[in-house]
Amino acid sequence: MMQTLSSEHPVLIVNAGSSSLKVKLLPQALSLLVERIGGDVNIKTNFAELTAKGIDNHESAFKVCLEALAQELPLEKITAVGHRVVHGGERFSQPTLITTEVLASIAELSSLAPLHNPPNLEGIHAARSLLSGIPQVAVFDTAFHSSLPPQAYLYGLPRALYSQQGIRRYGFHGSSHDYVTRRAAEYLTRPREDLKLVSLHLGNGASAAAVSAGKSVDTSMGLTPVAGLLMGTRSGDVDPGILLHLLRSGMTVNELDTLLNKRSGLLGLSGISNDMRDIWQAAAEGNGHAREALEVFCYRIRKIIGEYAAAMGGLDAVIFTAGIGENDPEARALTLKGLEFLGLQLDPDKNNSREIEISKPESRVKILVIPTDEERMIAEATLQAMA
Ligand code: AMP
């Protein structure tokens, strides 16, 4: 029988990064974040005072989190553990109960996500050893996009790269796009199956998804999360010839990786910050590079709205979510500038309020701001996988 998320059936959500571990118990909303594992560790929680000593791996970080949680409730009460796993390749299109075989597949997929899947696996190993007997489920960032058709996921490269090495578009932020498009359909009181939606997840990482009839049919991230929109520190799409040019000019692969992932995007273009608030501030003070960074950021999103309307053959609503999407009315306004011809009419007053619907009543296409909740989505998916 499918259990629903409730205080009788709490789910522990685990999100393990390369040097961080984020743990959250839902629905109690007890959260812990351990940063700089293996170095000068820093722990943030919303319910306890914790100090850190000798935390040099994910397992010891997890142990500290569990000791703190055990002060709040008996750990046996945890119904399941849901792990955020970045790359599920073509194998995983659903949340999946973790077995030894599933672990081996996630490890194999590390070749596609070398920065993400290995730390995700460390989180799973830690949870399996410290909470043995409690079911563990992997929820994949790529899964919601497993419905992409070949025309959207194939790159124009020799086919063998796809068939033998799995090089194709996978897309990420799946739990978020799934969650906000579900909530949008509820808000519009229409089945998601009847809607054509563009979901814009605009945080430090940013991606767009075209969701038609409840399925992701295109998305801006690709084989890796560096593709697509401009992000805080990631470049998004660039001419692949630039990469060849830089390599030929003597840049090493690691330097190129750092350039594209850590030194580009809003930070790289503005030369100021990866944080949108700093960029607006600098632009208001007359900094031209900051203004251009804003324009590139919003222009790319504007273009992708048009692209996805064309891909779906129509558009019912555009959804803004994540740090920038939820909190930055000026970025939303700049993004939507000139899109009235597509039926998108932003209401400036509502855009500056905290309302869900920020389009004018007569706007043919609705414009919605829906806070994302990836953790809740992972918790619900975890219970679904157990059923
Ligand atoms: P996320 O990755 O979803 O946590 O989003 C983080 C980003 O949201 C930050 O880097 C900021 O650029 C942006 N952000 C958060 N709050 C605001 C705000 N009030 N105005 C503009 N940008 C914001």
Side-chain angles (χ1 to χ4, degrees), residues 128-141:
R128 286 195 3 138
S129 100
L130 296 169
L131 291 174
S132 61
I134 297 182
Q136 316 263 330
V137 171
V139 181
F140 298 92
D141 242 26

Side-chain angles (χ1 to χ4, degrees), residues 22 173 201-206 232 266 273-280 321-331 354 372 374:
K22 205 168 158 187
H173 289 145
H201 179 112
L202 310 176
N204 203 22
L266 290 171
S273 165
N274 64 322
D275 192 303
M276 207 52 172
R277 288 160 289 199
D278 301 334
I279 312 271
W280 279 113
T321 195
I324 299 168
E326 291 166 30
N327 299 303
D328 191 336
E330 289 169 294
R354 284 261 151 202
T372 192
E374 289 172 272

Side-chain angles (χ1 to χ4, degrees), residues 262-377:
K262 306 236 164 84
R263 291 180 37 218
S264 295
L266 290 171
L267 172 68
L269 271 182
S270 68
I272 292 169
S273 165
N274 64 322
D275 192 303
M276 207 52 172
R277 288 160 289 199
D278 301 334
I279 312 271
W280 279 113
Q281 167 95 30
E285 288 161 3
N287 185 303
H289 292 172
R291 183 73 214 170
E292 280 177 358
L294 286 169
E295 276 165 7
V296 173
F297 181 83
C298 295
Y299 175 65
R300 286 207 188 174
I301 306 166
R302 188 185 314 143
K303 283 201 296 186
I304 218 159
I305 295 171
E307 202 176 291
Y308 287 173
M312 295 187 288
L315 185 59
D316 295 302
V318 170
I319 305 156
F320 285 90
T321 195
I324 299 168
E326 291 166 30
N327 299 303
D328 191 336
E330 289 169 294
R332 294 194 296 253
L334 183 55
T335 294
L336 295 168
K337 209 169 123 190
L339 289 184
E340 292 79 10
F341 81 98
L342 262 184
L344 284 147
Q345 290 181 273
L346 183 70
D347 183 317
D349 293 332
K350 287 187 187 162
N351 187 34
N352 284 306
S353 72
R354 284 261 151 202
E355 288 180 50
I356 294 178
E357 185 171 339
I358 58 169
S359 41
K360 291 183 180 161
E362 66 273 24
S363 184
R364 194 174 50 72
V365 178
K366 302 293 170 211
I367 308 166
L368 307 176
V369 178
I370 300 188
T372 192
D373 194 343
E374 289 172 272
E375 281 141 354
R376 188 180 174 89
M377 194 70 212

